């Protein structure tokens, strides 16, 4: 009896897997994986609307490190704008967001809470270039309207979902593209940290906190690695230590059409003041048919000071090896989001990984998670 021939699609998958397994790598190739992206040849100056903690801790340090010029800043709380201007030598402090948006030949960096983002997008002039803070509004309705406004006004825009622009995730993307991991079968993220929620008092006014403000980064990054999931299971839960927050911990399962186990366990309330740092952890783990990667999310350990970040890769014939020059999520990833936007706007790049359209799909995953969290689990009949 003759052996049945595999289908064309199955044959292509088999050939790709065979080719992946035939490629041999060295530890030197792992240590020297790419950790940065190209910079714009002629960067435009930046105008920032918003002067909260994320701006002072990440945006402005990133732009200073990259050599980007910030020409002005606005915040409704003028003292915040004044402090940022003093600390980072910014010459202009605007009296209103309308005044800031009058600037020409600049990139607008809109770093505001989600509940006011839509109102500001309505004021952005046509044909502008801008980066919007995540999440993309306070609801899917907001996200839809923002997406439409950006298109109708012919604005070149991105959303500041920057984990995939961090040096460690750039290295992982390079490893995957070179075939070091092979077809991915596992992706897991686990956090047990103490997050200083008091740094962002506006969170106390939100109906949902953990998923749309924090885990959105992981969901967006997972999409960049695995593509869009077909369904999600999620449960977000409050914690007595932060009673004013709607939630502070989440568990997720993301389902795919292929045999991938993708799960997240996110705990922001591990009290290191009581327990110490010994068993606090923050990592992402990716496994494939050829190799694996382990990523230490050091920034989240003792935030905002953090610990060194690391990515180690094991591939066929090469044991766990650290990648060099992995920098830090904050501020390095913020260099990547801004430089990629500017390169796209100038025509130097043809693809915008954090485009508004792409971010809209991440928002769809976020709100599917929020809907899932409202649903009861399967009842057990004892």
């Amino acid at each position: 009896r003759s052996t049945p021939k595999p289908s064309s699609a199955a044959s292509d998958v088999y050939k790709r897997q065979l080719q992946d397994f035939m490629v041999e790598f060295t530890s030197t190739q792992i240590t020297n994986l790419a950790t940065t992206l190209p910079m714009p040849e002629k960067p435009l100056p930046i105008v920032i609307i918003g002067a909260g903690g994320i701006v002072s801790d990440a945006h402005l340090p990133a732009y200073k490190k990259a050599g980007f010029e910030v020409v002005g800043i606005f915040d409704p709380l003028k003292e915040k704008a004044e402090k940022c201007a003093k600390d980072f030598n910014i010459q202009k402090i605007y009296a209103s967001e309308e005044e800031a948006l009058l600037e020409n030949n600049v990139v607008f960096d809109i770093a505001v809470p989600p509940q006011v983002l839509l109102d500001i997008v309505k004021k952005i002039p046509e044909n502008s270039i801008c980066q919007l803070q995540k999440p993309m509004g306070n609801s899917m309705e907001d996200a839809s309207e923002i997406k439409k406004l950006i298109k109708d006004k012919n604005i070149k825009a991105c959303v500041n979902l920057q984990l995939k622009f961090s040096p460690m995730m750039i290295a992982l993307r390079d490893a995957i593209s070179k075939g070091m991991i092979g077809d991915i079968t596992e992706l897991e993220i686990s956090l047990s940290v103490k997050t200083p929620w008091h740094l962002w008092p506006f969170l106390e006014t939100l109906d949902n906190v953990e998923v749309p403000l924090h885990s959105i980064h992981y969901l967006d990054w997972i999409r960049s690695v695995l593509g869009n999931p077909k369904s999600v299971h999620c449960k977000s839960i409050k914690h007595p230590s932060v009673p004013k927050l709607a939630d502070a911990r989440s568990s997720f399962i993301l389902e795919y059409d292929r045999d991938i186990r993708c799960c997240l366990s996110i705990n922001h309330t591990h009290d290191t003041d009581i327990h110490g740092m010994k068993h606090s952890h923050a990592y992402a783990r990716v496994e494939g048919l050829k190799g694996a990667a382990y990523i230490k999310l050091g920034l989240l350990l003792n935030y905002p000071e953090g610990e060194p970040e690391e990515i180690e890769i094991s591939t066929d014939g090469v044991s766990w090896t650290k990648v060099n020059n992995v920098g830090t999520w904050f501020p390095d990833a913020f260099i990547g989001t801004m430089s990629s936007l500017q390169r796209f706007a100038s025509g130097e790049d043809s693809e915008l990984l954090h485009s508004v359209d792409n971010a809209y799909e991440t928002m769809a995953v976020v709100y599917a998670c929020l809907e899932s969290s409202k649903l009861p689990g399967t009842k057990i009949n004892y």
Side-chain angles (χ1 to χ4, degrees), residues 128-142:
S128 296
I129 305 169
C130 71
Q131 174 172 261
L132 308 178
Q133 182 63 300
K134 60 80 188 157
M136 198 170 142
N138 210 30
S139 65
M140 279 307 293
E141 290 74 20
D142 279 6

Side-chain angles (χ1 to χ4, degrees), residues 160-377:
N160 186 28
L161 288 161
Q162 77 291 130
L163 178 56
K164 58 180 173 258
F165 291 94
S166 66
M168 52 196 171
M169 296 311 187
I170 293 171
L172 178 63
R173 189 157 68 243
D174 193 22
I176 291 171
S177 70
K178 289 175 176 173
M180 290 183 179
I181 307 299
D183 285 352
I184 295 172
T185 57
E186 289 265 331
L187 193 156
E188 176 188 18
I189 296 174
S190 182
L191 265 65
S192 185
V193 300
K194 184 179 182 180
T195 298
W197 294 112
H198 64 276
L199 296 177
W200 309 282
F202 76 89
L203 298 179
E204 296 178 1
T205 67
L206 302 181
D207 294 333
N208 307 101
V209 175
E210 202 291 314
V211 178
L213 272 298
H214 184 87
S215 282
I216 185 173
H217 287 297
Y218 309 130
L219 298 172
D220 181 71
W221 169 68
I222 288 168
R223 287 187 54 251
S224 75
V225 175
L226 300 178
N228 287 334
K230 67 177 184 179
S231 63
V232 297
H233 306 267
C234 174
K235 182 64 70 174
S236 293
I237 302 171
K238 292 175 67 71
H239 193 274
S241 67
V242 280
K244 293 183 180 180
L245 295 187
D247 50 66
R249 300 166 290 166
S250 299
S251 298
F252 308 76
I253 296 173
L254 274 61
E255 290 188 302
Y256 283 85
D257 288 323
R258 50 203 192 279
D259 293 331
I260 296 173
R261 189 183 76 100
C262 180
C263 58
L264 301 86
S265 177
I266 311 297
N267 173 24
H268 294 275
T269 55
H270 178 72
D271 197 336
T272 53
D273 292 337
I274 297 174
H275 310 302
M277 291 292 293
K278 182 177 180 180
H279 292 299
S280 184
H281 67 264
Y283 68 80
R285 183 179 59 83
V286 178
E287 291 187 13
L289 293 179
K290 184 174 177 111
Y294 182 91
I295 299 147
K296 176 185 173 183
L297 301 165
L299 170 74
L300 304 179
L301 299 169
N302 194 32
Y303 183 90
E305 288 80 13
E307 294 184 4
E309 300 193 326
E310 298 175 357
I311 174 169
E312 295 180 82
I313 291 175
S314 170
T315 189
D316 189 30
V318 183
S319 60
W320 290 105
T321 303
K322 288 184 180 180
V323 179
N324 287 339
N325 304 315
V326 295
T328 56
W329 179 354
F330 288 19
D332 293 339
F334 291 73
I335 298 174
T337 57
M338 178 55 68
S339 61
S340 292
L341 172 62
Q342 295 222 20
R343 285 178 60 86
F344 178 78
S346 68
E348 295 171 78
D349 285 343
S350 60
E351 185 180 18
L352 190 60
L353 293 177
H354 51 330
S355 69
V356 165
D357 287 349
N358 189 282
Y360 182 82
E361 295 186 2
T362 293
M363 289 289 285
V365 178
V366 164
Y367 277 89
C369 289
L370 297 180
E371 286 300 311
S372 174
S373 187
K374 298 175 185 177
L375 300 175

Side-chain angles (χ1 to χ4, degrees), residues 2-199:
S2 61
T3 303
K5 292 183 179 180
S7 68
S8 175
S11 178
D12 288 344
V13 170
Y14 174 76
K15 288 177 182 177
R16 188 178 72 251
Q17 291 176 346
L18 186 62
Q19 288 170 353
D20 285 345
F21 276 106
M22 290 174 65
V23 177
E24 294 185 357
F25 298 99
T26 66
S27 59
T28 300
Q29 287 175 289
I30 295 175
T31 59
N32 293 322
L33 285 167
T35 57
T36 60
L37 297 174
M39 299 289 287
E41 290 185 6
K42 297 179 179 179
L44 292 170
I46 299 167
V47 167
I48 300 180
I49 295 178
I54 194 66
V55 170
S56 58
D57 292 344
H59 291 244
L60 288 171
Y63 302 157
K64 181 179 179 179
K65 183 175 181 179
F68 295 147
E69 179 189 7
V70 178
V71 295
I73 189 167
F74 165 76
D75 193 278
L77 298 176
K78 189 177 180 182
E79 60 271 19
K80 286 189 174 183
E82 289 174 339
K83 187 176 188 309
C84 286
K86 180 181 178 182
D87 291 346
F88 292 91
N89 194 30
I90 302 171
Q91 299 303 310
K92 293 183 183 179
I93 299 175
Y94 303 105
S96 66
E97 58 204 34
E98 289 83 0
E99 181 185 357
L101 292 169
L102 290 174
E103 294 279 12
N104 294 312
N105 299 315
V106 298
V107 176
F108 297 115
D109 192 6
I110 315 297
V112 299
Q115 60 267 39
V116 299
L117 182 61
L118 175 57
D119 288 339
I120 293 179
V121 171
K122 291 177 180 178
K123 300 174 184 178
I124 297 173
E126 293 183 358
N127 305 311
S128 296
I129 305 169
C130 71
Q131 174 172 261
L132 308 178
Q133 182 63 300
K134 60 80 188 157
M136 198 170 142
N138 210 30
S139 65
M140 279 307 293
E141 290 74 20
D142 279 6
S144 295
E145 190 166 353
I146 287 170
K147 180 181 175 184
K148 184 178 186 301
L149 284 166
I150 294 297
K151 182 178 180 181
D152 291 347
K153 292 183 174 187
N154 193 36
I155 295 171
K156 292 183 173 69
C158 70
V159 178
N160 186 28
L161 288 161
Q162 77 291 130
L163 178 56
K164 58 180 173 258
F165 291 94
S166 66
M168 52 196 171
M169 296 311 187
I170 293 171
L172 178 63
R173 189 157 68 243
D174 193 22
I176 291 171
S177 70
K178 289 175 176 173
M180 290 183 179
I181 307 299
D183 285 352
I184 295 172
T185 57
E186 289 265 331
L187 193 156
E188 176 188 18
I189 296 174
S190 182
L191 265 65
S192 185
V193 300
K194 184 179 182 180
T195 298
W197 294 112
H198 64 276
L199 296 177

